Structures are given as structure tokens and as C-alpha cells.
Amino acid sequence: MKILKFRDKKEAIEKASTIIIDLIKKNPKAVLGLATGGTMVPLYKKIAKEYKKQNLDFSKLKTFNLDEYAGIKDPLTNRNSYHYYMDKNIFSKVNIQKRNINFPSASEPDYDKQIKRVGGLDLCLLGIGRNGHIAFNEPGSSFKSITRKVKLTDNTIKANSRFFRSTKQVPREAYTMGISTILKSKKIILLAFGNKKAKAIKKVVKEKVSKRVPASILHKHNNTTLILDSRAASLI
Ligand code: PGA
């Protein structure tokens, strides 16, 4: 596991966007696993900016989002869906083709097979929960898990309630790529910023691989980079 520490979030975002853009330039048909959450907002903003500036072409990219809430009616127009988030933050700003965009859902039971059919993920972008989750693979998730429907923990519901009017409105279930789905990606980058992520990063970096900290399994992946600001890296 490679660990890159940056003075601040801006520098970390610069690095992450360079890695992603270089990969897309080298392989315009790349298959990307994409995360949502607050962490990724400035990254997508930067990528959209570079897309325009460098006149990039995203038309052949294929994307598979890591997760989506379950039971959200009409995810395309529902402001709380991850599909809506992706459209708003990145998809609407670049020439990605709608047919190349994928989200896990009840109507996509073979998500892992679909990913395999297009050659597997070339890059998987990850955030990390304060409890060490990756995508919605909460503590205790099997390292062999594939894309499936999961129950969210109270911690995650509470953390995500900041995007909703009240905690009550946060869906209790979601579809998520599994840990084995993520680990099959040829390259993984995990981004973490701020003090609130410092303890989780410490557990990942300093402690043994354990199901209690799902992100710790990334030690077993041969091409993972953690991109951290000084706050998230303050305990390592
Ligand atoms: P955040 O979420 O980017 O909103 O902090 C990350 C996560 O829970 O995986």
C-alpha cells in the first residue's frame, strides 16, 4: 500500500485528479469504479475543470458507481440519490455517454458479471467511512462479498444524514459493490481528508487486516494508493 500525504486537501485533489486523468488519456476506454460522498465533490470539480481545459474525451469511458441507496424512487431526479449526485457533480459536465454509466440496483443483479464482461475495473476510486467502511461494506462484511443489498449501520445513517433534511429520511438500505468486487480492480485510490478520518486511517495503516475495518483489506491489494491530507494522516 502506497501512502501519499499532502499538506492540504487542494494538493491531494491535484494529485488524485492527475492520476485519474493520466489513466484516461492512456486508456480512453478505461472502466472506472466511482465513489460519491463529500470527499469526492472537489475531485470531480477539478476533473471537470481539467476536462474542459485539456479538451479531454470521456465518451468511451465506462463507469460503475460503487453504491446507491435502495428504495429511492426515480434515482435520476431524486436529489438524494447517488445517481443525481454523479449527474450534478461530474456526468453533466463531461461527454460521458449515458449508456456507459452504471449503478448497482435491484434491476442490475449481475453487476459483478457486467463489470467482468467489459474487462474489469481499471481504477476504483474509494472514500472511507469513519468506521472504516469502503463503499457500503460496513464492519463485519465478508472480504469475499460481491455486489449486493446491505443494511446501513446507525453510524453511517448518522454521518449521511447531513445530506438529508432529517436522519429519518436517510434510507436504511443500499446496494453496494462487494469487497471482492473492489479488490479485483487493477488499481485503487482511496482519498481521505480531515480530522474525522484520522482514526480510521490509523486503523487501516497501523493495525492488522480485520473485518472490523473493511478498508484494512487494501493491504492485500497490490496497487493501492492512499491519498491523504495532513489532517487525515495526523495519527500515522
Ligand atoms: P464522505 O464519505 O466522503 O462523505 O466522508 C465517505 C464514505 O463514507 O465512504
Side-chain angles (χ1 to χ4, degrees):
M1 180 185 282
K2 199 161 140 189
I3 302 172
L4 303 178
K5 299 180 195 174
F6 294 89
R7 206 174 32 172
D8 56 28
K9 185 156 103 175
K10 189 166 176 275
E11 283 184 11
I13 293 283
E14 292 254 353
K15 179 65 183 177
S17 77
T18 304
I19 294 174
I20 296 165
I21 287 168
D22 284 354
L23 183 131
I24 296 173
K25 282 184 184 162
K26 248 190 229 152
N27 179 10
K29 291 183 182 171
V31 182
L32 307 179
L34 297 178
T36 50
T39 307
M40 303 301 156
V41 172
L43 175 67
Y44 291 140
K45 195 172 175 193
K46 173 76 179 154
I47 291 174
K49 198 172 156 193
E50 290 303 316
Y51 163 85
K52 217 169 162 189
K53 200 163 131 194
Q54 302 187 38
N55 202 14
L56 300 172
D57 179 16
F58 287 4
S59 65
K60 293 189 184 73
L61 287 182
K62 292 196 171 62
T63 64
F64 288 84
N65 264 80
L66 297 176
D67 41 22
E68 177 61 285
Y69 289 120
I72 277 211
K73 275 191 210 126
D74 204 358
L76 273 173
T77 53
N78 188 314
R79 301 176 73 84
N80 290 128
S81 79
Y82 287 160
H83 203 143
Y84 188 94
Y85 166 109
M86 291 302 292
D87 278 348
K88 181 173 156 215
N89 288 293
I90 183 81
F91 293 158
S92 63
K93 299 181 180 170
V94 298
N95 70 338
I96 189 152
Q97 303 296 297
K98 276 206 174 86
R99 63 173 184 277
N100 291 337
I101 293 171
N102 299 278
F103 281 82
S105 72
S107 59
E108 304 288 353
D110 290 330
Y111 208 56
D112 288 58
K113 281 189 195 145
Q114 286 179 44
I115 295 172
K116 198 172 169 193
R117 214 173 292 138
V118 295
L121 299 176
D122 293 296
L123 172 78
C124 188
L125 184 59
L126 295 178
I128 184 170
R130 279 177 245 170
N131 61 4
H133 73 204
I134 43 175
F136 276 133
N137 296 287
E138 302 284 14
S141 299
S142 164
F143 291 148
K144 290 187 184 139
S145 54
I146 60 169
T147 306
R148 68 211 186 280
K149 193 178 185 182
V150 292
K151 288 197 171 15
L152 305 184
T153 62
D154 290 345
N155 273 341
T156 299
I157 290 168
K158 205 171 146 208
N160 289 7
S161 65
R162 68 191 194 276
F163 300 115
F164 292 78
R165 260 188 243 126
S166 74
T167 309
K168 259 194 193 160
Q169 290 183 332
V170 186
R172 267 46 186 168
E173 291 180 320
Y175 296 94
T176 183
M177 266 189 205
I179 296 183
S180 87
T181 321
I182 293 169
L183 290 177
K184 286 194 187 95
S185 179
K186 294 172 193 95
K187 185 178 178 68
I188 295 175
I189 39 180
L190 182 147
L191 268 56
F193 307 136
N195 292 324
K196 283 183 181 154
K197 300 293 170 75
K199 276 192 194 152
I201 292 297
K202 183 182 171 200
K203 284 184 187 157
V204 171
V205 174
K206 302 269 193 203
E207 293 177 16
K208 279 202 200 120
V209 174
S210 155
K211 281 207 290 188
R212 275 180 289 121
V213 185
S216 64
I217 191 64
L218 296 174
H219 282 290
K220 304 278 185 204
H221 185 266
N222 64 7
N223 190 0
T224 288
T225 304
L226 307 190
I227 298 186
L228 312 171
D229 70 354
S230 56
R231 291 181 171 178
S234 59
L235 302 177
I236 58 171

